Amino acid sequence: MACLRVHAFTITLDGFGTGTDQRADAPFGDGVEGLHDWMMPSFRGEGTGADDAAFRAGDEGIGATIMGRNMFGPVRGAWPDEAWRGWWGETPPYGHDVFVLTHHPRPSLVMGGGTTFHFLGATPAEVLARATEAAGGRDVRLGGGVATVRAFLAEGLVDELHLVVAPILAGAGERLFEGLEGLPAAYRVDSLVPGGAGNAHVTVVRR
């Protein structure tokens, strides 16, 4: 049975997935510098150990992706036009259908390499149903931002959540577990593995 998986979602030691003032030249905001340092060797093809294994696991068995509007780009509110086509250039790294949750739907965007972005004003459950169908029996990966992952957790839709806890403190921004008081009843920690940069990999699964 297909699963909804979150992979390599990095938070600070005090639980923030972004800092303050997200914008085009600071996609994760201020105050979280070094948040993703653990994965930089893997981007360069030099990764090793638990960090590299975790980085690569997010592509295994995935047939569709869900993300929030904030992950797709820095534009907020109504789209002024359709000029923004994502952070990834004309050939994004997905190679499958990507479903973008937004209060401002726009026509689907066909990109190179088999990626098509679909912009949906729908509930998490409705978007998951669309993505599951598109995945054709493979798993669905849930990307950020923080509010998007939190919304799917709140409805108990996430099957597996892989977090990377970075050894930094932010103090402000968006906290992943804000308002999720019922989380312990629905989820449990399955494993905790130390990484190579002072970080830790935590896997949380649905009970």
Side-chain angles (χ1 to χ4, degrees):
M1 184 174 179
C3 294
L4 180 63
R5 297 157 37 194
V6 177
H7 278 281
F9 193 92
T10 309
I11 61 174
T12 65
L13 191 61
D14 49 346
F16 292 96
T18 67
T20 56
D21 191 22
Q22 290 176 268
R23 56 194 185 277
D25 63 347
F28 290 92
D30 297 324
V32 290
E33 292 74 16
L35 186 67
H36 296 98
D37 281 359
W38 70 271
M39 64 171 65
M40 291 302 105
S42 293
F43 272 120
R44 299 191 298 266
E46 303 168 355
T48 59
D51 290 339
D52 191 58
F55 177 82
R56 299 185 185 286
D59 293 326
E60 296 173 359
I62 299 296
T65 295
I66 298 171
M67 67 175 62
R69 167 80 177 270
N70 287 6
M71 183 172 173
F72 179 75
V75 182
R76 303 292 185 262
W79 301 97
D81 51 45
E82 296 177 11
W84 180 262
R85 297 166 65 85
W87 300 103
W88 308 277
E90 291 302 305
T91 307
Y94 300 100
H96 52 235
D97 287 328
V98 178
F99 297 86
V100 182
L101 279 76
T102 175
H103 295 297
H104 302 277
R106 57 183 264 193
S108 294
L109 177 60
V110 179
M111 306 291 284
T115 298
T116 298
F117 292 103
H118 306 280
F119 303 88
L120 305 179
T123 67
E126 291 168 342
V127 174
L128 178 56
R130 285 280 305 273
T132 299
E133 181 180 4
R138 306 182 83 191
D139 288 346
V140 177
R141 180 170 180 172
L142 176 62
V146 174
T148 298
V149 176
R150 194 164 54 220
F152 280 80
L153 284 171
E155 296 193 17
L157 297 173
V158 177
D159 293 292
E160 181 178 307
L161 172 69
H162 165 236
L163 297 173
V164 181
V165 182
I168 62 174
L169 298 170
E174 285 189 276
R175 270 201 173 101
L176 177 60
F177 295 121
E178 191 78 35
L180 295 178
E181 290 81 5
L183 194 73
Y187 291 89
R188 63 176 177 83
V189 175
D190 186 62
S191 66
L192 191 155
V193 177
N199 56 297
H201 297 271
V202 183
T203 301
V204 177
V205 296
R206 188 161 53 178
R207 291 186 185 276

